[in-house]
Amino acid sequence: MARTRGRVVLVGYTGKPATLDVLDVVVRETEIRGSVGATLADAHTVMRMAEARLVRGCVQAEYPLEQVNEALARLADGNVTGRLVVIP
């Protein structure tokens, strides 16, 4: 999802391995970094960037609040790439 010479920041904790296309990373000169946490100022910056459409999210599915258990089950099964959104 990153553009050429873009940066991918990995967040969250999991013990599961990840796969990637090494050729794509090398050819596109993608930088891959890990992040443990962020500050409130960082959150404000990201919100401004999202408002200006400088970052994109990857929403895989939306669920009404009544189906929150189904969304949680998908997360627990590891069948989610991106984000699930629960709509109140």
Side-chain angles (χ1 to χ4, degrees):
M1 291 177 54
R3 65 182 174 203
T4 298
R5 294 192 180 108
R7 178 183 298 159
V8 174
V9 180
L10 304 175
V11 297
Y13 299 94
T14 180
K16 296 182 180 179
T19 59
L20 57 93
D21 182 342
V22 175
L23 179 63
D24 189 49
V25 171
V26 172
V27 170
R28 296 178 63 200
E29 299 179 18
T30 305
E31 180 182 347
I32 300 174
R33 301 187 64 165
S35 177
V36 175
T39 66
L40 183 56
D42 293 334
H44 289 163
T45 299
V46 169
M47 293 305 292
R48 284 192 299 275
M49 290 174 68
E51 184 177 47
R53 299 189 186 274
L54 297 174
V55 294
R56 299 176 291 160
C58 180
V59 176
Q60 188 175 41
E62 295 181 358
Y63 289 87
L65 184 57
E66 297 79 24
Q67 294 178 343
V68 68
N69 289 334
E70 182 180 328
L72 291 172
R74 283 190 61 195
L75 289 171
D77 290 341
N79 294 329
V80 178
T81 302
R83 299 285 187 237
L84 299 182
V85 176
V86 176
I87 309 290

